[in-house]
Amino acid sequence: IGYGVIKMNIDTDLQYAFMEGIRDYFSSKADYLKGQIGNPEGSDQPNKKYYDPRVWLREGEKTFVTRLKKAFEDLNNVNTL
């Protein structure tokens, strides 16, 4: 970075970061994602709020943003404007 950056390809890193958030969410909520009804809280408890795509996609977005912030730090481009 000190000598200048010609190219920095973070596409693969961002793809992995996005997938990491989704993977971790699915791993932590596995018991809630086995069916529409029934989870550790009770056999008649609904699971809609766990398998709603907006929820798990948001987890991917969070890890994506974290990786972008790291790239900005690496490029010394934080609070420069």
Side-chain angles (χ1 to χ4, degrees), residues 6-57:
I6 296 171
K7 179 180 179 182
M8 182 176 177
N9 187 352
I10 62 169
D11 183 52
T12 302
D13 291 353
L14 291 174
Q15 290 172 359
Y16 189 83
F18 190 80
M19 185 275 308
E20 179 182 21
I22 295 171
R23 181 202 63 211
D24 292 349
Y25 176 81
F26 273 75
S27 294
S28 69
K29 304 295 184 199
D31 291 336
Y32 295 86
L33 299 170
K34 293 179 180 177
Q36 291 181 342
I37 298 175
N39 60 49
E41 298 171 20
S43 60
D44 62 344
Q45 295 296 313
N47 296 318
K48 183 170 177 55
K49 66 181 179 181
Y50 297 103
Y51 62 79
D52 183 344
R54 294 171 293 187
V55 176
W56 51 267
L57 286 172

